[in-house]
Every structure is written in C-alpha cells, then in structure tokens.
Amino acid sequence: MFPSETCVDFKMKTIEVDGIKVRIQIWDTAGQERYQTITKQYYRRAQGIFLVYDISSERSYQHIMKWVSDVDEYAPEGVQKILIGNKADEEQKRQVGREQGQQLAKEYGMDFYETSACTNLNIKESFTRLTELVLQAHRKELEGLRTRASNELALAELEEEEGKPEGPANPSKTCWC
Ligand SMILES: Nc1nc2c(ncn2[C@@H]2O[C@H](COP(=O)(O)OP(=O)(O)OP(=O)(O)O)[C@@H](O)[C@H]2O)c(=O)[nH]1
C-alpha cells in the first residue's frame, strides 16, 4: 500500500539466513501503469524480486508475463526471482489454482509460494528463501571472480617464468642436499 503521492514504499528488515544476520532493503513498487516509468528505475539495483499476483484475480495472474518481461529488460542479469500468489486466505474467492502458479513458476524457473499478508502464511519463508537465493548467487559470483583472478595470476607467473633465461633463478632452491 502506498501513500497517495508516492509510488514506491521502502522498508528495512534484518532476517537470519543460515545463522547469518542479513539486513535487507525492501522496495515495494506500485503496480499501476501510470507509475511504470518511475518504478522500472528501481529494478536496476535489485538483487531479488518477488513477482506477485492475487489468487482471487485471474487478471493479475495473466499480468505476470508482462512483469517478467519488464524484469528481464530492466533488472540486472543475475537477479533472483520468486513467484508469489498472494491473498491465499481468500480461498472462497480463488480464481487461480495453486497448480497454475506452480506451472508458471516452473516455466520461468522460479520458486513459488502462496502467501497471505493477512494470516502471515509463507511471508517469512518466502523472504528467507529469496535472501538465500541472493546470497547463493553472490557467493557464486565471488567464487567465479576468485577463480578468474587466481587463473590470471597463475598465467602471469607462467609467462614471467617463460620469459626468464634457462636454468634456475635461485640455485639454492633446487638443491635438496
Ligand atoms: N485478504 C487479503 N487481502 C490482502 C492481502 N494482501 C493485501 N491485501 C489487501 O489488498 C489490497 C491491496 O493491497 P496493496 O498492498 O495496496 O497492494 P499492492 O500490490 O501494493 O497494490 P498496488 O499499489 O496496485 O501495487 C488492500 O486492501 C490490502 O488490504 C492478503 O494477503 N489477503
């Protein structure tokens, strides 16, 4: 929910993932078309995104494809995404089956949760999972950078070694007696 004059709501929260305390910034962007120019700018710095539809609205479910293509266009490449079917407490008004949500999530390779902001169903679980995915992606990126750096270092050492004249540079090092 947003105050009438703004289209982005911001909150900070600390959650614990694998025993590590993680401080997360939560940006809740308005869904209305008229705010899109502004809200799209917030995708650029996102590390994790929830794509949310309302289980009591088939129309909101149909809109997910458009959100996915916007995210693909404006968010960073490695951004982590989770599909959410919210208002799970509104069972009597349900228009979107749980399997439809699961199916769509599978198509896009995302995790899926049905949640309720009213009963708190899966709220903590989905935030913890998204944070976990972001941390995992971050670790992988760091490992990749480390491997690349050590490969480049090894290559540089090899090139330096090859550039040297024949014979050991430090004879004492090759002497085992
Ligand atoms: N029953 C039920 N109502 C909910 C739930 N979550 C939100 N609502 C209600 O749905 C309405 C819209 O909620 P918002 O938080 O404004 O939804 P939003 O997605 O931010 O809407 P936009 O501003 O259009 O992006 C409000 O009346 C909320 O009280 C839920 O889990 N269950």
Side-chain angles (χ1 to χ4, degrees), residues 95-107:
Q95 289 184 1
V96 186
R98 175 190 285 270
E99 324 67 51
Q100 284 177 270
Q102 282 166 337
Q103 182 55 38
L104 192 63
K106 198 172 163 197
E107 273 170 38

Side-chain angles (χ1 to χ4, degrees), residues 1-2 28-32 86-90 115-118:
M1 221 180 292
F2 301 104
D28 179 6
T29 57
Q32 294 103 309
N86 191 41
K87 300 200 187 178
D89 55 292
E90 298 266 42
T115 62
S116 167
C118 288

Side-chain angles (χ1 to χ4, degrees), residues 19-85:
I20 304 167
K21 283 206 171 108
V22 187
R23 194 137 175 82
I24 56 173
Q25 292 182 0
I26 307 161
W27 299 83
D28 179 6
T29 57
Q32 294 103 309
E33 194 71 44
R34 65 198 155 111
Y35 293 128
Q36 297 286 293
T37 326
I38 303 165
T39 55
K40 274 175 190 166
Q41 296 173 31
Y42 286 83
Y43 297 3
R44 247 181 262 146
R45 290 184 59 204
Q47 293 177 296
I49 293 182
F50 286 119
L51 293 133
V52 185
Y53 65 88
D54 170 354
I55 66 140
S56 67
S57 159
E58 172 72 27
R59 200 167 152 264
S60 73
Y61 175 77
Q62 296 300 342
H63 258 96
I64 289 293
M65 284 156 243
K66 183 210 168 281
W67 293 120
V68 171
S69 76
D70 278 359
V71 165
D72 284 348
E73 193 174 346
Y74 295 96
E77 209 175 297
V79 75
Q80 302 299 307
K81 291 165 278 184
I82 287 184
L83 182 65
I84 301 285

